[in-house]
């Protein structure tokens, strides 16, 4: 029992034996084949893999955006499998933060309103010191009243990061957050995510196929053909690239 | 190009169905109106053909006044018999409208416009078949037609009270019930009370030995026309001689003109519906073009000409127009048939002709449906053709165009519309008034619709702030202000119907307020005896009531009014006989401008100053007055009363009453002594009226309410017809919202991903809908109030001096608009709630 409790407190999110199958019959596609993964609290995890390896599917399943076919997913203490739409929605609102590749913000709201949107939907007041910390970390104080259309792509992603962090979620899921950015803006975003882990103990999962982006993480999970094929701690861009080559060969060679 | 058009057409089914629906409803209304009036018209045709089937030639007295014929003495029948070509004995008959049976509920049995004949029993004939009992043989016996027996639940042996033209209530014994050929209860909803001939002559014609007409049969081989000419020559000019066919045709054409008026009204409402539909179609095509910008730009860059782009949009419009018009035509035929059946049942016993589809229905529905669709699509098509090819390569659609041009043109159009309206209402446009007013209203609506985008943003923000206390409400408010043009045109569609309803309401409530004001400030009569006119003859009461009520304790004075339509110096005029002119002059302060308003001596009259001026008459002048019966009278004008808001026209002495069409009073005004008990006197008068069920006694304000209630029922009818326009406006809101949801799929997906619940997503869409519909309702209330006030101001000269806004109604409309918004949001909000989050945020 003590061991379990210790584990659960250390683990922010967990997938166990997760299968995801789309369609049926001829059109049947198996995206995940028994993936088990624990995301430790305060850890920055990158998920990599070639296109079609299931990395986005894994993220969607773990974030409560998609239902798994078999297996269990937990965020904190909450078991996602079997939750109703309303339950999943509340979970996403209160315990998950998202940063998507693009179209992160409502064009009609100002940056500040966008950042506070999940809290507003939940009817919660922001924690003022934490809000200030987040705003200062992403460096957006002078842009708060601007609409997304008045911000650059990099600034928009920083707003999205602030939004993901401001509700102090259990896990922040970032899906190719730098995919649409030039390298400098991308580096800014990756830096913020890194700092949110290091300085504030936030748990972050990032799906990417950019080896340089993945090297900001504490560990990298490599997916191939719906399975975890490799794991690496303390990654460097070169090591990641080597591993990717090997996976490509092995997957391609099958 | 055609293929591409068809493909894109199919890919937007829902939107097309919605905008097509507006055309369907409009075309349905148009074709339904034509089918209805055609069916009813033909039903009446066959009714009259049947009614006159056995009449070859009919002789009546000359026309004394409009529609009122002199009687025919019995001796004329002998003169006719002598004419060569007449077969057998001519049949004289008494057949006069105005025999009203009092039912078991104590009220006079009414028909829906069909006559209530009093007739003389002439034995069983091919047209009259006894079902029960026998014909009347004694003076106190009657027979009735089966239709009346059924409606009033009468049985042979019953004692039946009847009001007739010349006698107040009298009770007869029912001895027979008869039907019409083919087992029918009546020819077309009319009621018939048959008396013995002398009684019928006395109570319906006021004189024994005379008839209303004589029917003649032609001998074999003698054409009706030839016989008619011979009889006419033999009788001379004091009689009218007509063939059965002429009579049937005259009746048909009078029904036709009534029906065509009805048809015009229905088409008017169809026009309103289609006008509103135009907004919806225009909006749909604008949105379609906006969404296809890249596609159309790509076509342009691939070499399509501008004309081809316009063609592609217009072909789409043509297809929608054709399909929707055909569907509308089909539905309209069904609606027309159902309404005709309802009408037949309503009238009671009208044998309906088969449903046929007149060419006018087909042409009307197709022309209107296709025309409106194409017209509405023209502007968006031209805009589509202006899309530069380079737009294909741009990521974002063109930014919001500035509103300057549309605002300026809106201001100009509104000014023109208001100008036309003002000219029509306040100018001296004569016969063009109605058209000027209609054009003014139409152009004003278009102008206001063009101005709407400008006000949309601030007003919508204001309305929306009511809902901004929750996040979904706030998002909905913001969304409704995002596309001011679209919001504006959607709201403007709702505005049109509501503005018309509000306008009518303002007029009615102002008229009511003016009448009450008038009643309170100028009228001293405390009680009024009157009835609601539902047939050609006015409701009347026993003249003895006038004298008896004067004797009641607490009554100061009584003035009774008898009404007739006569001719003054050959011109048709309403003529009233007043039982006590000084009392009337006292109760409605009438002041003598010339001469006196003292009690009238025989063959004396008074009239108002305007009429006197028109006719060039002064106190002391004499005129010739022809009443509904008898010879012309030479009448001396003894007084001319000053212009006032209550009374105008001729008032003549009571010695002329026997020549009135109905020599019984239709109205009476009673003034009480000070400090007498109004309720007690009212109750006493009501008791005196026990045998006069067509009228009742009300106090002043009750009387005015009664008058206004007739306006209110017209208002209800208008509201029902305008509901169609509002229905179309609702479709417009649904359409706009469905598009918003579609366009904002990604936003909705994102919101759902970061934790917006389904119910919250639905609320967001609902708020958007409610904000748009309340915006439209506000516009409608404001524009409608403006219209109504303008009309009331124009009626100022007629004594309608008070302007009253129907606040309660307006609040009700506003609330209903909110409900409309909620209803319109149902489908789009469910759609929004069902959005698949993963698909919405997918970008690969």
């Amino acid at each position: 029992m003590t061991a379990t409790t210790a584990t659960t407190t250390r683990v922010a999110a967990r997938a166990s034996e997760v299968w995801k199958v789309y369609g049926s019959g001829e059109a049947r596609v198996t995206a995940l084949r028994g993936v088990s993964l624990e995301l430790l609290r305060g850890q920055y995890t990158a998920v990599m893999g070639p296109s079609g390896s299931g990395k986005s599917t894994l993220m969607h399943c773990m974030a409560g955006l998609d239902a798994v076919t078999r297996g269990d997913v937990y965020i904190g203490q909450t078991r996602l499998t079997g939750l109703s739409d309303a339950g999943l929605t509340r979970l996403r609102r209160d315990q998950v933060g998202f940063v998507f590749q693009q179209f992160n913000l409502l064009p009609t709201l100002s940056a500040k309103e966008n950042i506070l949107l999940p809290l507003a939907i939940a009817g919660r007041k922001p924690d003022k010191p934490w809000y200030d910390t987040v705003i200062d970390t992403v460096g957006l104080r002078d842009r708060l009243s601007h609409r997304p259309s008045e911000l650059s792509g990099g600034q928009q992603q920083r707003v999205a990061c602030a939004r993901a962090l401001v509700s102090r979620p259990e896990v922040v899921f970032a899906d190719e957050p730098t995919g649409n950015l030039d390298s400098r803006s991308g580096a800014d975003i990756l830096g913020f995510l890194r700092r949110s882990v290091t300085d504030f103990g936030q748990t972050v999962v990032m799906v990417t196929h950019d080896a340089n982006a993945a090297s900001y993480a504490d560990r990298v999970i490599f997916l191939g053909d719906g399975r975890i094929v490799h794991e690496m701690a303390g990654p460097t861009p070169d090591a990641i690239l080597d591993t990717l080559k090997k996976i490509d060969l092995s997957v391609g060679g099958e | 190009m055609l293929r591409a058009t068809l493909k894109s057409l199919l890919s937007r089914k829902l939107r097309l169905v919605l905008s097509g629906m507006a055309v369907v409803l409009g075309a349905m209304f148009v074709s339904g109106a034509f089918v209805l009036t055609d069916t009813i018209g033909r039903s009446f045709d066959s009714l009259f053909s049947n009614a006159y089937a056995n009449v070859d030639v009919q002789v009546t007295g000359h026309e004394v006044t409009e529609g009122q014929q002199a009687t025919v003495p019995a001796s004329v029948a002998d003169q006719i018999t002598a004419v060569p070509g007449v077969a057998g004995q001519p049949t004289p008959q008494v057949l006069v409208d105005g025999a009203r049976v009092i039912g078991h509920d104590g009220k006079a049995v009414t028909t829906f416009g069909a006559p209530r004949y009093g007739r003389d029993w002439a034995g069983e004939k091919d047209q009259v078949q006894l079902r029960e009992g026998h014909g009347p043989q004694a003076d106190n016996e009657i027979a009735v037609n089966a239709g009346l027996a059924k409606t009033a639940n009468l049985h042979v042996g019953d004692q039946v009270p009847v009001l007739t033209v010349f006698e107040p209530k009298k009770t007869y014994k029912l001895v027979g019930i008869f039907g019409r050929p083919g087992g029918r209860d009546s020819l077309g909803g009319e009621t018939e009370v048959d008396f013995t001939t002398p009684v019928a002559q006395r109570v319906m014609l006021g004189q024994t030995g005379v008839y209303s007409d004589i029917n003649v049969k032609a001998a074999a081989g003698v054409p009706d026309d030839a016989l008619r000419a011979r009889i006419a020559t033999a009788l001379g000019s004091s009689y009218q001689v007509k063939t059965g066919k002429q009579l049937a045709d005259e009746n048909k054409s009078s029904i036709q003109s009534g029906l065509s008026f009805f048809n015009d009204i229905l088409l008017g409402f169809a026009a309103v519906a289609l006008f509103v539909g135009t907004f919806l179609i225009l909006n749909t095509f604008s949105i379609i073009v906006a969404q296809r910008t890249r596609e159309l730009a790509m076509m342009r860059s691939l070499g399509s000409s501008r004309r081809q782009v316009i063609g592609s949009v217009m072909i789409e419009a043509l297809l929608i127009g054709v399909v929707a018009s055909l569907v509308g035509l089909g539905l309209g035929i069904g609606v027309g048939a159902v309404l005709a059946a309802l009408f037949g049942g309503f009238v009671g016993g009208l044998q309906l002709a088969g449903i046929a589809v007149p060419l006018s229905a087909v042409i009307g529905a197709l022309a209107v449906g296709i025309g409106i669709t194409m017209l509405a699509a023209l502007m968006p098509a031209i805009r589509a053709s202006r899309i530069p090819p380079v737009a294909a390569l741009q990521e974002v659609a063109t930014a919001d165009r500035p509103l300057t041009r549309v605002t300026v043109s809106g201001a100009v159009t509104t000014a023109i519309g208001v100008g036309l309206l003002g000219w029509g209402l306040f100018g001296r446009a004569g016969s063009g008034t109605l058209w000027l007013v209609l054009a003014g209203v139409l152009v004003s609506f278009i102008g206001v619709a063009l101005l709407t985008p400008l006000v949309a943003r601030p007003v919508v923000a204001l309305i929306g702030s009511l809902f901004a206390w929750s996040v979904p409400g706030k998002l909905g408010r913001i969304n409704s202000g995002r596309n001011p043009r679209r919001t504006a045109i959607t709201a403007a569609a709702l505005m049109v119907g509501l503005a018309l309803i509000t306008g009518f309401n303002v007029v009615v409530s102002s008229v009511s307020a003016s009448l009450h004001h008038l009643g309170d400030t100028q009228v001293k009569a405390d009680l009024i005896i009157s009835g609601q006119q539902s047939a050609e003859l006015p409701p009347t009461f026993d003249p003895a009531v006038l004298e008896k009520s004067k004797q009641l304790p607490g009554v100061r004075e009584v003035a009774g009014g008898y009404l007739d339509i006569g001719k003054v110096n050959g011109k048709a005029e309403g003529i009233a006989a007043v039982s006590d002119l000084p009392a009337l002059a006292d109760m409605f302060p009438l002041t003598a401008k010339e001469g006196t308003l003292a009690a009238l001596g025989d063959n004396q009259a008074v009239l108002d100053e305007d009429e006197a001026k028109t006719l060039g008459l002064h106190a002391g002048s004499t005129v010739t007055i022809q009443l509904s019966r008898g010879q012309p009278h030479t009448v001396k004008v003894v007084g001319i009363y000053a212009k006032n808001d209550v009374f105008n026209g001729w008032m003549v002495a009571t010695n002329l009453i026997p020549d009135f069409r109905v020599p019984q009073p239709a109205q009476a005004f009673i003034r009480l002594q000070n400090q007498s008990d109004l309720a007690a006197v009212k109750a006493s008068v009501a008791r005196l009226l026990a045998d006069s069920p067509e009228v009742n006694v009300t106090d002043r304000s009750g009387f005015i309410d009664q008058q206004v209630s007739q306006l209110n029922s017209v208002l209800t009818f208008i509201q029902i017809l305008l509901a169609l326009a509002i229905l179309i406006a609702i479709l417009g809101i649904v359409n706009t919202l469905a598009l918003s949801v579609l366009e904002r799929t990604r936003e909705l997906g994102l919101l759902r991903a970061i934790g917006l619940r389904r119910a919250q997503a639905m609320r967001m869409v609902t708020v958007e809908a409610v904000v748009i519909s309340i915006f439209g309702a506000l516009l409608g209330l404001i524009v409608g109030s403006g219209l109504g006030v303008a009309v009331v101001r124009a009626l100022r000269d007629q004594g309608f001096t008070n302007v009253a806004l129907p606040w309660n109604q307006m609040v009700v409309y506003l609330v209903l608009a909110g409900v409309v918004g909620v209803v319109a949001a149902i489908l789009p909000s469910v759609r929004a709630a069902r959005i698949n989050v993963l698909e919405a945020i997918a970008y690969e």
Side-chain angles (χ1 to χ4, degrees):
Chain A
M1 261 332 257
T2 3
T4 327
T5 318
T7 320
T8 46
T9 46
R10 276 187 55 228
V11 173
R14 180 157 66 90
S16 87
E17 277 300 304
V18 165
W19 288 71
K20 179 68 191 177
V21 181
Y22 292 108
S24 59
E26 289 285 301
R28 190 181 164 95
V29 175
T30 308
L32 297 176
R33 305 167 184 270
V35 174
S36 294
L37 176 67
E38 285 192 340
L39 302 174
L40 299 184
R41 193 150 297 187
Q43 199 174 48
Y44 189 170
T45 310
V47 179
M48 298 202 73
S51 297
S53 62
K55 56 185 190 301
S56 283
T57 305
L58 178 64
M59 194 198 86
H60 292 156
C61 287
M62 291 196 73
L65 285 170
D66 206 355
V68 301
T69 311
R70 215 162 73 216
D72 281 325
V73 175
Y74 290 85
I75 299 249
Q77 312 276 23
T78 317
R79 181 165 176 260
L80 270 58
T81 333
L83 273 188
S84 67
D85 179 79
L88 284 174
T89 306
R90 192 172 310 119
L91 173 112
R92 290 199 298 267
R93 192 183 74 192
D94 298 337
Q95 300 190 46
V96 175
F98 284 104
V99 183
F100 298 110
Q101 178 176 357
Q102 59 180 11
F103 207 81
N104 262 305
L105 309 175
L106 279 200
T108 47
L109 301 182
S110 68
K112 180 178 178 182
E113 287 168 324
N114 264 296
I115 291 169
L116 293 174
L117 193 54
L119 291 174
I121 291 172
R124 272 160 50 197
K125 289 259 172 288
D127 170 356
K128 182 74 176 132
W130 172 240
Y131 169 77
D132 286 334
T133 312
V134 169
I135 297 298
D136 291 335
T137 309
V138 294
L140 277 170
R141 196 162 284 284
D142 56 338
R143 287 276 184 276
L144 284 177
S145 60
H146 291 224
R147 292 280 166 85
S149 57
E150 297 157 339
L151 300 173
S152 71
Q155 288 167 332
Q156 288 184 28
Q157 283 308 72
R158 280 196 262 161
V159 173
C161 287
R163 182 191 65 207
L165 293 170
V166 81
S167 61
R168 289 181 186 275
E170 199 75 39
V171 191
V172 169
F173 290 96
D175 192 357
E176 307 269 13
T178 58
N180 266 12
L181 301 180
D182 61 77
S183 53
R184 229 199 99 179
S185 310
D188 283 348
I189 297 297
L190 293 166
F192 295 133
L193 291 175
R194 179 68 256 173
R195 282 183 60 196
S196 72
V197 173
T198 314
D199 299 355
F200 311 126
Q202 182 64 55
T203 313
V204 175
V205 185
M206 173 175 71
V207 169
T208 183
H209 51 242
D210 174 4
N212 185 47
S215 68
Y216 281 77
D218 297 317
R219 67 166 179 167
V220 183
I221 307 288
F222 295 90
L223 281 185
D225 206 17
R227 290 189 186 86
I228 294 177
V229 291
H230 191 73
E231 198 181 321
M232 181 188 290
T236 63
D238 290 340
I240 294 169
L241 281 174
D242 283 347
T243 314
L244 279 177
K245 267 180 211 151
K246 279 180 210 151
I247 296 170
D248 264 347
L249 287 177
S250 69
V251 174
E254 257 176 46
Chain B
M1 198 79 185
L2 182 63
R3 243 182 101 89
T5 304
L6 286 175
K7 281 242 164 109
S8 78
L9 199 61
L10 281 175
S11 63
R12 299 180 308 271
K13 277 178 298 233
L14 176 73
R15 212 165 321 144
L16 296 175
V17 165
L18 281 169
S19 53
M21 199 83 123
V23 181
V24 167
L25 288 174
M28 182 183 89
F29 217 122
V30 171
S31 61
F34 279 117
V35 169
L36 174 66
T37 47
D38 170 75
T39 306
I40 294 176
R42 280 181 301 109
S43 308
F44 275 108
D45 284 358
S46 75
L47 166 69
F48 293 122
S49 300
N50 283 335
Y52 292 104
N54 289 336
V55 177
D56 290 341
V57 175
Q58 189 180 67
V59 177
T60 60
H62 67 280
E63 194 165 63
V64 181
T65 55
E66 180 77 31
Q68 186 66 24
Q69 280 128 2
T71 53
V72 186
S75 59
V76 173
D78 298 333
Q79 277 177 271
I80 296 170
T81 319
V83 175
V86 172
Q89 281 292 317
T91 20
Q93 67 169 352
V94 177
L95 183 68
V96 179
D97 189 5
R100 293 144 288 172
V101 161
I102 299 173
H104 295 302
D105 59 354
K107 295 206 170 85
V109 175
T110 53
T111 60
F112 291 93
R116 292 176 286 186
Y117 286 123
R119 209 175 67 120
D120 67 323
W121 174 257
E124 240 186 313
K125 286 181 292 189
D126 43 0
Q127 288 271 313
V128 177
Q129 298 159 354
L130 268 175
R131 294 204 184 155
E132 250 186 275
H134 54 84
Q137 286 152 358
D139 283 357
N140 66 341
E141 293 180 346
I142 53 165
V144 300
N145 67 344
L148 175 55
K150 277 185 189 165
T151 318
N153 192 22
L154 303 178
H155 303 281
V156 169
D158 284 358
Q159 292 291 323
V160 180
V162 185
L163 306 170
T164 53
V165 175
F166 280 86
E167 287 185 357
K169 179 176 134 176
K170 197 174 163 198
T171 304
Y172 298 83
K173 187 180 179 197
L174 180 61
V175 295
I177 293 172
F178 60 89
R180 290 294 186 170
R184 300 179 45 193
D185 295 338
S186 71
L187 287 171
E190 80 285 5
T191 68
E192 270 188 65
V193 180
D194 283 23
F195 307 90
T196 60
T197 303
V199 173
Q201 289 170 336
R202 200 181 68 234
V203 301
M204 301 309 294
L205 295 172
Q207 183 181 4
T208 47
V210 297
Y211 293 92
S212 59
D213 47 77
I214 300 178
N215 289 333
V216 185
K217 274 245 170 259
V222 182
D224 293 354
D225 285 338
L227 184 62
R228 191 205 70 80
R230 278 184 224 164
I231 296 174
T233 317
L235 296 182
S237 65
S238 27
Y239 297 96
Q240 290 185 80
V241 188
K242 285 173 182 166
T243 62
K245 188 171 176 308
Q246 282 178 316
L247 289 165
D249 289 347
E250 278 176 15
N251 276 303
K252 282 176 200 170
S253 73
S254 84
I255 284 282
Q256 286 299 351
S257 70
L259 281 174
S260 82
F261 177 68
F262 185 57
N263 201 25
D264 287 349
I265 291 180
L266 290 181
L267 291 180
F269 284 98
V272 173
L274 283 162
F275 180 60
V276 173
T278 312
F279 285 69
L280 173 52
I281 300 164
L282 179 71
N283 203 17
T284 306
F285 274 93
S286 304
I287 294 164
I288 289 174
V289 167
Q291 290 186 332
R292 284 173 67 196
T293 299
R294 295 185 77 176
E295 183 190 328
L296 289 169
M298 196 192 69
M299 284 189 174
R300 293 272 284 130
S301 54
L302 292 181
S304 297
S305 69
R306 279 187 153 196
R307 189 171 297 183
Q308 276 174 313
V309 170
I310 293 184
S312 118
V313 177
M314 293 310 282
I315 285 172
E316 204 168 314
L318 179 68
L319 285 172
I320 297 175
V322 170
V323 172
S325 307
L326 286 175
V327 173
L329 175 62
L331 289 175
I333 294 168
V335 166
V338 169
L339 288 180
L342 283 177
F343 179 83
F346 204 54
V347 164
L350 179 65
Q351 191 105 340
L352 274 190
I355 300 297
V357 182
L359 195 61
S360 53
V362 179
I363 294 174
L366 288 181
V368 155
I370 297 171
I372 291 285
T373 318
M374 305 270 293
L375 189 72
L378 193 60
M379 272 246 291
I382 292 172
R383 203 175 299 144
S385 74
R386 297 207 178 125
I387 295 171
V390 70
L393 309 169
Q394 286 166 346
E395 176 63 33
V396 221
T398 43
D400 253 1
R401 285 161 293 141
L403 297 172
T404 325
R405 248 175 66 186
V406 72
T407 304
V408 169
S409 53
V412 171
T413 314
T414 309
I416 293 173
V418 170
L420 286 173
L421 196 61
W423 185 16
L425 288 175
F426 298 101
R428 301 264 175 271
S431 59
T433 302
L434 182 65
W435 291 110
L436 274 176
V437 171
L438 287 179
V441 169
L442 187 79
V443 174
S444 307
F445 277 151
I446 296 175
V448 173
L450 289 171
L451 284 176
T452 310
L454 186 72
V455 290
R457 236 192 266 264
V459 176
V460 158
L462 202 67
I463 301 170
S465 54
L466 293 175
F467 302 96
W469 44 268
S470 73
V471 173
K474 191 177 166 200
L475 293 172
R477 184 201 78 169
I478 292 173
N479 283 340
S480 54
R482 275 169 90 167
N483 195 329
R485 276 164 201 271
R486 202 187 291 172
T487 301
I489 203 162
T490 311
L494 188 60
M495 167 195 79
V496 173
L498 257 182
L500 289 174
I501 291 179
T502 307
F504 281 115
N505 246 312
V506 169
V507 172
V508 168
S509 65
S510 298
V511 165
S512 168
S514 300
L515 288 178
H516 277 286
H517 177 74
L518 213 60
D520 292 342
T521 55
Q522 301 193 16
V523 179
K524 292 182 195 147
D526 297 299
L527 294 171
I528 292 121
I529 299 175
S530 71
Q532 305 265 343
Q533 186 156 4
S534 65
E536 198 188 335
L537 293 178
T540 51
F541 59 94
D542 188 347
V545 172
L546 293 176
E547 205 44 49
K548 286 181 192 162
S549 51
K550 207 167 176 176
Q551 307 301 326
L552 290 173
V555 170
R556 173 168 159 169
E557 53 197 3
V558 177
Y562 298 69
L563 306 175
D564 193 29
I565 297 188
K567 287 188 205 163
V568 177
N569 290 344
K571 195 170 147 268
E573 293 281 356
I575 311 271
V578 182
S579 68
D580 186 345
L581 182 60
L584 188 80
D586 175 50
M587 284 187 270
F588 300 90
L590 298 180
T591 51
K593 184 102 178 166
E594 275 183 50
T596 76
L597 300 179
L600 290 171
D602 283 0
N603 294 324
Q604 294 186 336
V606 296
L607 78 162
D608 65 279
E609 60 169 303
D610 280 354
E611 178 78 5
K613 199 183 280 172
T614 314
L615 296 176
L617 296 175
H618 295 281
S621 313
T622 54
V623 287
T624 306
I625 297 185
Q626 172 68 63
L627 296 161
S628 285
R629 296 173 201 283
Q631 296 302 312
H633 298 272
T634 302
V635 173
K636 187 176 178 196
V637 176
V638 294
I640 290 171
Y641 57 92
K643 197 160 118 176
N644 66 88
D645 292 329
V646 189
F647 267 101
N648 60 14
W650 286 90
M651 296 184 212
V652 300
T654 48
N655 73 305
L656 301 180
I657 289 172
D659 279 350
F660 274 36
R661 184 170 179 187
V662 185
Q664 297 183 58
Q667 279 182 333
F669 305 97
I670 302 173
R671 185 176 177 190
L672 306 189
Q673 286 158 0
N674 290 342
Q675 278 112 34
S676 34
D677 182 351
L678 184 78
V681 177
K682 189 178 162 198
S684 308
V685 175
R687 271 194 296 281
L688 293 177
L689 289 171
D691 284 345
S692 301
E694 289 191 306
V695 296
N696 58 8
V697 57
T698 51
D699 56 26
R700 199 163 53 218
S701 142
F703 174 73
I704 293 166
D705 287 340
Q706 219 172 52
Q707 305 299 306
V708 175
S709 78
Q710 297 181 9
L711 284 178
N712 279 332
S713 42
V714 172
L715 191 64
T716 308
F717 180 68
I718 289 171
Q719 283 174 335
I720 291 171
L721 288 173
L722 284 177
L724 186 74
I726 294 189
L727 182 67
I728 292 179
I730 296 176
L731 289 179
I733 300 176
V734 175
N735 197 8
T736 296
L737 285 176
L739 283 162
S740 302
V741 170
L742 206 70
E743 283 177 348
R744 296 174 199 150
T745 302
R746 287 215 142 172
E747 284 177 43
L748 278 159
L750 172 72
L751 280 164
R752 296 274 291 124
I754 63 170
L756 193 76
R757 279 182 288 118
R758 281 204 167 128
Q760 289 176 312
M762 291 176 77
R763 204 182 311 153
M764 180 177 102
V765 176
T766 305
V767 165
E768 185 177 352
V770 170
V771 168
I772 293 177
S773 56
I774 289 186
F775 175 46
L778 279 179
L779 283 175
L781 292 178
I782 292 167
V783 173
S785 301
L787 280 178
V789 168
V791 170
V792 174
R793 280 271 164 264
L795 289 175
R796 199 181 194 133
D797 291 347
Q798 332 263 300
F800 298 110
T801 46
N802 293 45
V803 173
L805 292 182
W807 292 111
N808 291 345
Q809 280 297 319
M810 288 162 78
V811 170
V812 167
Y813 292 149
L814 209 55
V815 172
L816 280 180
V819 174
V820 158
V822 173
V823 172
I826 291 175
L827 279 176
S829 68
V830 166
R831 229 173 168 205
R834 289 214 182 124
I835 276 177
N836 182 320
V837 182
L838 274 183
E839 281 173 19
I841 59 173
Y843 42 78
E844 277 100 356

